[in-house]
Amino acid sequence: MPRDHPDWIIERRRELGGRIADLRTAAHHTQESFCEVTGISRRTLQRIESGEADPRYSDLLRIAAVLDIRVSVLTD
């Protein structure tokens, strides 16, 4: 995967990370507790929420399942 993404991709990745962080906190999860129930490492979650990393589809499925939402809520 290229390291130099266009600005619009970087912005969408930040939006996704922010949405995940907002939904996680609204569900009263700390990063630590969320990682325990999703099986995602804390460093990976930190990188996703800050917009530094593209989450795997399997990570999005796990996040959505714990939050009891559809993946499309995260990505739209």
Side-chain angles (χ1 to χ4, degrees), residues 41-71:
S41 76
R42 186 153 186 206
R43 180 65 185 134
T44 297
L45 182 63
Q46 289 171 335
R47 293 183 73 229
I48 291 169
E49 288 187 351
S50 69
E52 294 175 38
D54 292 320
R56 295 183 199 153
Y57 185 65
S58 59
D59 293 339
L60 293 176
L61 289 171
R62 290 174 182 194
I63 290 167
V66 169
L67 295 172
D68 195 27
I69 59 174
R70 298 176 62 99
V71 171

Side-chain angles (χ1 to χ4, degrees), residues 13-45:
R13 193 166 58 189
R14 286 183 186 137
E15 290 171 5
L16 172 62
R19 191 173 304 118
I20 291 170
D22 290 345
L23 290 166
R24 173 185 57 77
T25 56
H28 307 290
H29 277 286
T30 63
Q31 283 187 339
E32 186 175 326
S33 69
F34 200 64
C35 290
E36 287 177 18
V37 295
T38 61
I40 298 169
S41 76
R42 186 153 186 206
R43 180 65 185 134
T44 297
L45 182 63

Side-chain angles (χ1 to χ4, degrees), residues 1-6 10:
M1 183 177 340
R3 293 283 181 204
D4 297 319
H5 295 295
I10 293 168

